[in-house]
Amino acid sequence: MNHQHDSTWYWRSLDFDALTRDFPPPPDYFDKVFRISRDELRERQETRFLATVKRGWEIPFFQRHWGSAGLEPGDIRALDDLSKLPPYTVKELRESIERNPPFGDFMGISPADGARMPLVLQTSGGTTGLPRPMLYAPQDREVMAILGGRRFALQGVRPGDMVMVTYSLGLGNGALAPREALWRYTGAVPVMTGSGATTPTRRQIEIAKAWGVNVILGFPSYLRHLAIVAKEELGIDPHSLGIRSLGSHLGQEDRIHLEELWNAPCHDAYGTHESGMMAAECSERAGMHIQEDAVILEIADPETGAVLPEGEKGSVYITTLYRWGAPQIRFNINDISRIVPEACRCGGTLKKLDRIFGRNDTMVKLRGVNVFPEAIGGVVATERRSNGEYVCIVERVGVEQREEMTVLVEAVHPSVDHAQLQVDLERRFKEVVGVRLIVEVVDRGKTDEYTGTSRTSKIKRLLDRRVSA
Ligand SMILES: [Zn+2]
């Protein structure tokens, strides 16, 4: 599994032939991985998993983490033993960085390894303080590019396409990972506008029009913004631009509005800076095929850690099967999703991950039902009578101390019929969240005292006022 060679020259640092045989990029991917038999897949996973665990034992973080759970090298003999390995979260990674600044001891490489192989550094998004750095060895980075290339092929990107990438160019992987994937493994041409801060939005539209851009990648809110600026400010009908495909991480966002704006299908995908592009939608757009030859995703009960059967919602655990520099082995990413229990109509045999329903740490239990503020935000974001601002307040009311969630939603304009919007949103929330919520429509700016939108970038969307006395 280790295709890593000693050389500071990139093209000599890897055995590319062997690497692409093991992790076929498109178009080979479709025959050699996407429709693989489950037995053959399992065999491949097993070999790679055992190689990954072996590599883990060479890395101080895993030696400590596994050792303190009473494990010894040799205890993990098969893929069936996976659940014997203790999971960890970002908390343990942060502690690893604090203990061994600045990079932690969860990576089997350090900048000094630049003497024997080219390294590149990118980071997590990071909301407070320094973002978490990650060093990528050539094998880690190259397979990430292959996984990205597969994702784009699945969403219909073809050689000769012009793909505009509107994510921020910087420390994060948002724009740079897609650039590497598109450039090396799709035959399409990445057009790196970056976000509106790098290339003004109006200019992005002009570029798309002048250069024949036919695929756009970006955050849902920015894809929306682009279409609106085109129409309202430049008088350009987004449909006239001939966009054939949109790519995004949708989370709880509703794709229908975006698809109407652009008259193009929007494909969901899921990746992190620790694991690369783990799952991506095919043309069916009903769940994201997991790149199961490169990553194992388990769904575990957020409270007990027990692995859940297909179809049940829980925390996503990541085990990478290709990473040499910094493997991830049962990393609890704390996103909530589930494995789609049905086979895909596209004929692909790789299992699918449902959308990401939210983060485990923002989830709130309301009368026994798991509710995600993100899901509520997704509904509000597509409601044209609102400006998208909202806050959820949970409290106990009445003599029975019944748990209620009230969602304050701002109307976009005073002329909006508050009562009608309330009725419509309450119905929609019931459909999406599965439990009845109370909606209160308020004027613009009225949720700010709770959310802090105008004062901070750490916006609060949930106030839990239930006191556990
Ligand atoms: Zn499919």
Side-chain angles (χ1 to χ4, degrees):
M1 272 308 95
N2 184 11
H3 306 295
Q4 199 71 60
H5 291 181
D6 269 17
S7 174
T8 57
W9 293 5
Y10 192 77
W11 69 277
R12 277 190 183 166
S13 66
L14 285 171
D15 181 345
F16 282 92
D17 284 328
L19 186 81
T20 50
R21 251 195 322 274
D22 279 343
F23 298 97
D28 296 8
Y29 165 64
F30 290 98
D31 284 337
K32 294 180 175 157
V33 182
F34 193 65
R35 298 183 192 90
I36 194 175
S37 79
R38 298 297 303 176
D39 287 344
E40 204 185 335
L41 175 69
R42 176 89 188 176
E43 229 169 88
R44 241 181 250 187
Q45 287 181 320
E46 179 122 46
T47 311
R48 292 172 188 182
F49 167 67
L50 293 175
T52 301
V53 171
K54 186 162 172 266
R55 175 68 177 141
W57 279 115
E58 297 170 359
I59 299 173
F61 174 83
F62 290 108
Q63 290 165 356
R64 191 173 57 243
H65 188 59
W66 294 345
S68 63
L71 289 168
E72 284 175 24
D75 282 353
I76 303 299
R77 290 152 193 259
L79 190 46
D80 283 337
D81 296 331
L82 174 61
S83 60
K84 290 182 185 165
L85 292 164
Y88 55 93
T89 65
V90 69
K91 179 173 158 279
E92 280 87 355
L93 295 184
R94 287 208 189 97
E95 284 166 4
S96 164
I97 291 173
E98 274 165 32
R99 200 166 17 223
N100 302 277
F103 299 115
D105 64 355
F106 60 90
M107 292 188 264
I109 45 173
S110 72
D113 288 296
R116 55 193 191 103
M117 67 185 70
L119 301 174
V120 65
L121 182 148
Q122 303 280 165
T123 70
S124 64
T127 45
T128 49
L130 287 184
R132 277 176 294 118
M134 176 70 79
L135 286 167
Y136 296 93
Q139 172 165 323
D140 306 335
R141 200 69 196 171
E142 203 58 35
V143 178
M144 266 175 74
I146 292 171
L147 301 184
R150 292 170 171 187
R151 170 229 179 157
F152 293 123
L154 278 172
Q155 76 167 72
V157 173
R158 295 291 174 263
D161 281 346
M162 294 287 279
V163 184
M164 196 161 90
V165 182
T166 67
Y167 292 112
S168 302
L169 293 149
L171 284 169
N173 268 311
L176 291 165
R179 178 178 188 268
E180 290 161 27
L182 288 161
W183 171 34
R184 294 183 196 156
Y185 292 107
T186 68
V189 182
V191 180
M192 306 302 297
T193 53
S195 70
T198 305
T199 309
T201 302
R202 283 162 160 256
R203 182 55 50 81
Q204 301 216 19
I205 308 284
E206 290 161 0
I207 286 171
K209 190 175 174 188
W211 298 352
V213 164
N214 55 4
V215 179
I216 308 180
L217 308 181
F219 290 114
S221 56
Y222 193 67
L223 293 175
R224 223 168 7 244
H225 179 65
L226 265 176
I228 289 163
V229 168
K231 199 157 41 181
E232 306 295 332
E233 294 184 24
L234 297 172
I236 296 172
D237 176 4
H239 292 194
S240 74
L241 293 172
I243 300 302
R244 222 188 56 228
S245 173
L246 301 169
S248 194
H249 168 62
L250 285 168
Q252 283 296 321
E253 297 262 355
D254 180 9
R255 78 182 85 214
I256 295 168
H257 185 206
L258 277 173
E259 296 188 339
E260 282 171 6
L261 279 172
W262 289 99
N263 192 31
C266 183
H267 303 80
D268 199 1
Y270 179 54
T272 73
H273 88 292
E274 291 95 356
S275 57
M277 194 48 69
M278 297 180 285
E281 280 187 334
C282 63
S283 54
E284 297 289 328
R285 309 206 302 294
M288 303 177 278
H289 286 285
I290 301 165
Q291 311 237 28
E292 290 182 278
D293 65 328
V295 64
I296 292 175
L297 298 187
E298 299 168 277
I299 304 295
D301 184 310
E303 274 145 43
T304 66
V307 177
L308 296 171
E310 279 182 14
E312 288 187 27
K313 279 187 201 171
S315 294
V316 178
Y317 285 13
I318 301 168
T319 298
T320 55
L321 300 175
Y322 70 92
R323 293 206 55 166
W324 181 82
Q328 298 297 330
I329 306 167
R330 301 202 90 213
F331 176 34
N332 175 3
I333 192 85
N334 262 316
D335 284 330
I336 300 287
S337 187
R338 61 173 201 135
I339 304 291
V340 176
E342 301 88 31
C344 190
R345 283 183 302 186
C346 77
T349 53
L350 299 179
K351 298 270 182 209
K352 292 195 294 188
L353 187 72
D354 206 332
R355 54 172 37 196
I356 301 300
F357 294 96
R359 302 256 325 144
N360 187 27
D361 40 22
T362 63
M363 185 179 81
V364 49
K365 254 201 159 63
L366 186 71
R367 306 195 291 273
V369 176
N370 292 335
V371 177
F372 300 97
E374 294 94 332
I376 291 160
V379 170
V380 177
T382 52
E383 172 51 66
R384 277 159 241 198
R385 288 167 290 174
S386 168
N387 59 359
E389 288 300 328
Y390 71 99
V391 65
C392 309
I393 300 170
V394 188
E395 52 202 344
R396 292 184 191 280
V397 296
V399 276
E400 291 166 23
Q401 290 289 285
R402 184 179 153 87
E403 294 176 313
E404 291 286 4
M405 181 186 280
T406 304
V407 188
L408 304 186
V409 179
E410 292 188 12
V412 71
H413 192 268
S415 66
V416 167
D417 182 341
H418 283 32
Q420 187 58 49
L421 180 55
Q422 179 199 332
V423 170
D424 293 346
L425 279 175
E426 282 184 351
R427 195 186 55 235
R428 190 84 185 95
F429 286 146
K430 181 80 186 20
E431 286 167 8
V432 171
V433 182
V435 61
R436 197 183 155 325
L437 309 179
I438 299 164
V439 172
E440 202 177 307
V441 178
V442 297
D443 288 331
R444 245 179 127 142
K446 286 281 193 267
T447 65
D448 192 63
E449 61 175 298
Y450 306 107
T451 60
T453 301
S454 68
R455 302 182 298 277
T456 163
S457 59
K458 241 179 130 45
I459 297 164
K460 255 183 127 152
R461 294 295 184 193
L462 176 74
L463 268 78
D464 199 338
R465 288 179 177 163
R466 292 172 294 187
V467 187
S468 45

